[in-house]
């Protein structure tokens, strides 16, 4: 199959540290190539991939101080993708709503993975493009009525996350994620303080969250009970999660997937999370973690979570959230969309009209 | 001719106060209808037009506190325009680069008026879509190599700007424009203070410019020599300019057109401007105003500008910058693009492919 993968340009593919979407795109793209597909990846020029890389811009936009207007480069990327639509059997977009009007104008089938959340603004555009093929990354994500072809959970390669049979002593709780109110680092700190547990935290602080970090997080970091490791790379991430006794996922929004949950479970570390969004689909309640109704319950349940089998956590990810399963899911989605298109049109693709 | 006009959604068409692009779109659209064309205007739902209004959103986005993400609605607007491309003989876009990839996918001819300035980001997208048909609003604007079909100067309806034969006593200088550093209100104040002239200023303060306004402008407003009238409506604008002895246009960027210059001259008031961008194309040097090389020269030349004929200023706008001339220009552009398309394709339009 000739497949175009369209990645955001903000981070490299794969991302050196934080960047959920770019990580998923990377794993998916490379595995599709390994399975024999002819894949073109549209992404920043410093991306590393087995696919044919089409670099829209030489480096990740967030690393370039000369770039003032990011949206502009997405427009350029989408121009390059959709003007060459006829070269592909399917176009798989990971970039959001700006691809939708373009997708509606070409005859090459396009599928959009919904990586984010619906809001009062973007839902108007999604609803307008209701008939487009969408993939949700959890069932909980399907808050509006669209043409969902399937749910394909994000997958990781368990080999990238060494299994840790016995967590570090003295024990600690881990928090990994962007330091924004919706990810809940403030709740992680409150849970640690309430229970007396040590807490190690890592993740980036976006400019928009710098005030939140300075006011609500920084004053509580004492380097003893509450540690902040900054923005960490993949190896450090696996180490932070693997050596933890429990990972906290104290979100305050409906997270559409939550990669950190499967990363943690892959290393053997169970997850205690608030019951929002995808959480009950990703954690096997009472087996690989605890799905709680409140932050208080999260604190209270740490004790019982200590009983959970780390080996079971690992196997659960291997059996349910591997790259291999994710790619099986997307291959099935591509096949389905192309078959549906053949049946409804009597042709595979005719290319877009250009002058 | 079946014409689609695609307006920005930030302001109503026409704008109640400031909003250069929306004013031009309004005048153009209504005059095209009066000349018998079948015009559809894509714009905010509170717009007033003789054309068939397609409302993407019920009100101007800037007036709606619920709207967080403006770009989303432009995406929705462009979906509506380009999915229905086959209904039009020509699509005339006023919204910027996001329309370019869509325009490249449909067979209906599209023309883009360049209302803004090129920068290091957007020039990449324009260059990628070099073959698209563009209209520049001044020759000075053509900073990069594109397929310019013509320059069409912005036009106003002189009847909307009552001619004032004798300016108000005591005399004053006028400044009208957004209060941002590039529009130069700080230079207008300096010129007034240097020469002892009174200065009346009006225009909006965008959120991004609020610090500039508070720090560099507000402390100098004394309500006596330096007055600030706030954001004013059309009638107040015509009055401010018409009763002024001279209008200052002390820009510090290459303004692509500068509507306020023709608005001022239409009321009879000559303009003293810095020689940047379109200025020497819009002002008849020594006849309807003074084109200066420095802010000092602007201050020094006030005396000679007092000699200029207000009647000549008025006639100059009537003869060169009326709506009627602007619409003649655009009609010629539409004809040229459609004719070129017929000759190169042997057909007028075939519609876009949709499923």
């Amino acid at each position: 199959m000739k497949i175009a993968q369209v990645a955001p340009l903000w981070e490299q593919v794969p991302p050196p540290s934080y960047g959920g979407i770019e990580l998923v795109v990377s794993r998916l793209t490379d595995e599709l190539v390994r399975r024999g597909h002819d894949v073109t990846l549209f992404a920043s020029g410093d991306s590393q991939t087995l696919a044919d890389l089409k670099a829209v811009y030489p480096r990740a936009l967030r690393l370039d101080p000369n770039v003032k207007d990011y949206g502009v480069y997405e427009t350029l990327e989408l121009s390059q993708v959709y003007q060459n639509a006829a070269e592909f059997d399917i176009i798989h977009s990971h970039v959001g709503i700006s691809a939708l009007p373009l997708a509606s104008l070409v005859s090459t089938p396009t599928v959009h993975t919904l990586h984010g959340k619906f809001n009062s603004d973007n839902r108007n555009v999604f609803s307008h493009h209701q008939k487009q093929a969408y993939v949700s990354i959890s069932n909980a994500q399907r808050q509006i009525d669209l043409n969902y072809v399937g749910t394909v959970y994000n997958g990781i390669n368990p080999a990238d996350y060494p299994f840790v049979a016995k967590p570090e002593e003295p024990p600690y709780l881990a928090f990994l994620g962007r330091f924004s109110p919706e990810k809940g680092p403030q709740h992680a700190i409150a849970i640690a303080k309430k229970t007396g547990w040590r807490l190690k935290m890592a993740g980036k602080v976006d400019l928009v969250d710098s005030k939140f970090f300075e006011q609500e997080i920084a004053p509580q970091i004492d380097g003893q009970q509450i540690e902040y490791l900054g923005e960490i790379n993949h190896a450090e991430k696996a180490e932070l999660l693997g050596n933890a006794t429990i990972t906290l996922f104290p979100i305050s929004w409906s997270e559409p997937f939550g990669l950190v949950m499967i990363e943690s479970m892959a290393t053997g570390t169970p997850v205690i999370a608030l019951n929002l969004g995808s959480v009950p689909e990703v954690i096997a309640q009472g087996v690989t973690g605890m799905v709680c109704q409140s932050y208080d319950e999260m604190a209270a349940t740490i004790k019982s979570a200590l009983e959970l089998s780390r080996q079971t956590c690992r196997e659960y990810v291997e059996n349910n959230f591997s790259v291999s399963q994710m790619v099986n899911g997307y291959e099935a989605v591509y096949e389905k969309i192309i078959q549906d298109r053949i049946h409804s049109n009597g042709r595979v693709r005719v290319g877009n009209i250009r002058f």
Side-chain angles (χ1 to χ4, degrees), chain A:
Chain A
M1 233 184 272
K2 297 193 73 173
I3 304 168
Q5 293 289 338
V6 188
L9 301 173
W10 181 249
E11 297 277 3
Q12 294 163 249
V13 174
S17 47
Y18 189 90
I21 302 174
E22 292 82 358
L23 187 63
V24 166
V25 173
S26 171
R27 297 296 179 258
L28 167 62
T29 299
D30 285 354
E31 180 63 15
L32 286 169
V33 173
R34 285 192 200 95
R35 293 186 184 187
H37 299 290
D38 181 356
V39 188
T40 302
L41 172 64
F42 292 86
S44 69
D46 49 2
S47 295
Q48 303 286 328
T49 179
L50 301 179
D52 180 18
L53 178 64
K54 293 282 182 199
V56 180
Y57 195 76
R59 65 199 71 82
L61 296 182
R62 83 162 177 120
L63 300 176
D64 194 323
N66 296 320
V67 172
K68 302 276 182 297
D69 185 351
Y70 306 105
V72 157
Y73 295 94
E74 192 169 283
T75 301
L76 186 58
E77 176 178 41
L78 294 174
S79 296
Q80 294 182 4
V81 172
Y82 287 95
Q83 288 182 320
N84 297 304
E87 291 178 18
F88 305 106
D89 297 314
I90 191 152
I91 298 171
H92 185 175
S93 168
H94 301 270
V95 300
I97 58 156
S98 44
L100 297 174
L102 288 154
S104 74
L105 294 178
V106 299
S107 51
T108 303
T110 300
V111 59
H112 295 262
T113 292
L114 297 164
H115 287 284
K117 223 192 125 188
F118 299 114
N119 59 44
S120 58
D121 292 324
N122 71 22
R123 63 193 307 141
N124 295 296
V125 185
F126 283 115
S127 292
H128 179 84
H129 293 282
Q130 197 170 24
K131 289 178 183 166
Q132 271 293 314
Y134 293 96
V135 165
S136 46
I137 58 172
S138 66
N139 296 324
Q141 190 188 25
R142 300 187 176 190
Q143 296 297 311
I144 63 174
D145 187 29
L146 298 176
N147 173 27
Y148 298 102
V149 188
T151 285
V152 180
Y153 293 120
N154 289 337
I156 55 174
N157 182 359
D160 293 342
Y161 298 84
F163 175 65
V164 180
K166 233 184 117 49
E168 191 176 284
E169 283 294 338
Y172 67 87
L173 308 173
F175 171 90
L176 178 65
R178 197 160 30 85
F179 278 73
S180 73
E182 63 189 18
K183 292 283 186 177
Q186 72 280 32
H187 303 302
I189 293 172
I191 290 167
K193 291 204 164 173
K194 188 170 178 178
T195 57
W197 275 76
R198 287 172 66 210
L199 173 67
K200 293 193 187 183
M201 316 179 87
K204 69 173 173 180
V205 183
D206 283 342
L207 197 59
V208 65
D209 296 317
S210 55
K211 203 173 157 187
F212 165 73
F213 184 84
E214 284 311 319
Q215 293 184 348
E216 302 202 30
I217 304 298
Q220 313 217 52
I221 298 168
D222 57 16
Q224 301 289 325
Q225 190 193 356
I226 312 294
E227 280 180 73
Y228 173 55
L229 312 177
E231 192 169 347
I232 60 179
N233 65 24
H234 174 79
E236 294 163 332
K237 224 158 88 168
E239 210 183 301
L240 169 70
L241 295 171
N243 289 325
T245 296
I246 284 159
T247 294
L248 298 178
F249 195 64
I251 49 173
S252 63
W253 74 313
S254 292
E255 181 98 23
F257 184 75
L259 212 48
V260 72
M261 292 189 282
I262 61 172
E263 292 178 303
S264 175
M265 295 185 294
T267 68
T269 303
V271 179
I272 298 181
L274 197 73
N275 187 10
L276 278 173
S278 66
V279 162
E281 293 173 64
V282 177
I283 294 176
Q285 161 64 14
V287 180
T288 68
M290 301 295 185
V291 179
C292 301
Q293 305 309 319
S294 68
Y295 300 116
D296 282 347
E297 192 188 331
M298 286 182 67
T301 200
I302 293 179
K303 214 167 168 180
S304 15
L306 300 175
E307 309 298 319
L308 302 178
S309 156
R310 296 182 66 91
Q311 187 63 43
T312 304
C313 288
R314 172 70 170 194
E315 286 162 10
Y316 177 71
V317 172
E318 287 170 345
N319 296 333
N320 296 281
F321 298 103
S322 68
V323 168
S324 177
Q325 274 132 342
M326 173 174 73
V327 179
N328 291 348
Y330 278 118
E331 280 186 321
V333 162
Y334 302 159
E335 294 287 357
K336 183 174 188 313
I337 293 170
I338 292 170
Q339 288 304 317
D340 287 356
R341 184 62 61 89
I342 292 170
H343 293 139
S344 64
N345 288 280
R347 59 186 172 186
V348 180
R349 73 193 147 81
V350 299
N352 55 295
I353 294 184
R354 262 177 296 153
F355 291 103

